[in-house]
Amino acid sequence: MRELAGIVALFAGLWLAAAEAGFRSPESLVRNVYAYYGQGAPELSKGLPRDGATARQFFDPSLRKAWFAPRTEPYDFLVQSPSWKLGPVTIAVVRRQYDKTYVAANFDNRGRRVTLNFILVNGPEGWLITDVESPHDSLRMFLEQFRN
């Protein structure tokens, strides 16, 4: 009986750890990124936070440290501007290729059309961002370029 309780506790702990990171679908991950760029509650309209908890929830291990490392960047890569007033965000799975899924996010930011391609991986933690591509750059290159 004690062994069964230990196994149940182990699985409960693993479930809670998995619930802290990742998302159930590629679309929900991207939708949750842009929830931080709304016009609602102040805590949800400052952009995607640059802390460890957010990095674990949204990014794969290879991108986490770069996300919350100190840096001076001229704009927020995820909206392609230092400020934002986003129109409706459309999200569509563009391609599934081996272990990666490519999701396009399209929106207007202050009247300027923005298209970004999220490259997502699905692992034990759920769906996570491994990179984001703009027509001119990628999130990985951007974070590397502006790190302190």
Side-chain angles (χ1 to χ4, degrees):
M1 190 62 151
R2 206 178 294 172
E3 290 175 25
L4 181 60
I7 292 171
V8 169
L10 174 67
F11 280 117
L14 291 174
W15 178 78
L16 288 173
E20 291 176 8
F23 293 88
R24 290 179 168 239
S25 74
E27 298 89 346
S28 69
L29 188 158
V30 177
R31 192 177 312 104
N32 276 280
V33 165
Y34 288 104
Y36 286 92
Y37 294 89
Q39 296 176 1
E43 65 274 5
L44 294 178
S45 60
K46 295 179 180 176
L48 193 62
R50 305 296 181 129
D51 57 29
T54 302
R56 281 187 302 281
Q57 184 179 15
F58 285 90
F59 298 102
D60 78 339
S62 67
L63 193 54
R64 287 177 187 161
K65 188 174 181 181
W67 179 253
F68 70 90
R71 65 189 165 280
T72 54
E73 49 196 30
Y75 61 92
D76 187 321
F77 187 87
L78 297 174
V79 292
Q80 298 287 296
S81 176
S83 62
W84 56 85
K85 183 174 183 181
L86 304 184
V89 179
T90 60
I91 299 165
V93 173
V94 193
R95 179 175 68 221
R96 296 182 194 274
Q97 184 177 24
Y98 304 108
D99 63 336
K100 295 179 179 153
T101 296
Y102 296 77
V103 177
N106 296 289
F107 54 89
D108 260 14
N109 183 9
R110 299 191 183 275
R112 194 177 117 239
R113 193 85 186 127
V114 176
T115 300
L116 295 173
N117 290 310
F118 286 75
I119 303 170
L120 310 176
V121 292
N122 190 12
E125 298 174 315
W127 287 97
L128 296 168
I129 299 168
T130 192
D131 206 356
V132 181
E133 298 174 333
S134 75
H136 311 287
D137 205 354
S138 78
L139 180 60
R140 283 182 185 278
M141 292 188 316
F142 178 80
L143 294 174
E144 179 64 27
Q145 180 181 1
F146 294 106
R147 72 182 172 138
N148 288 344

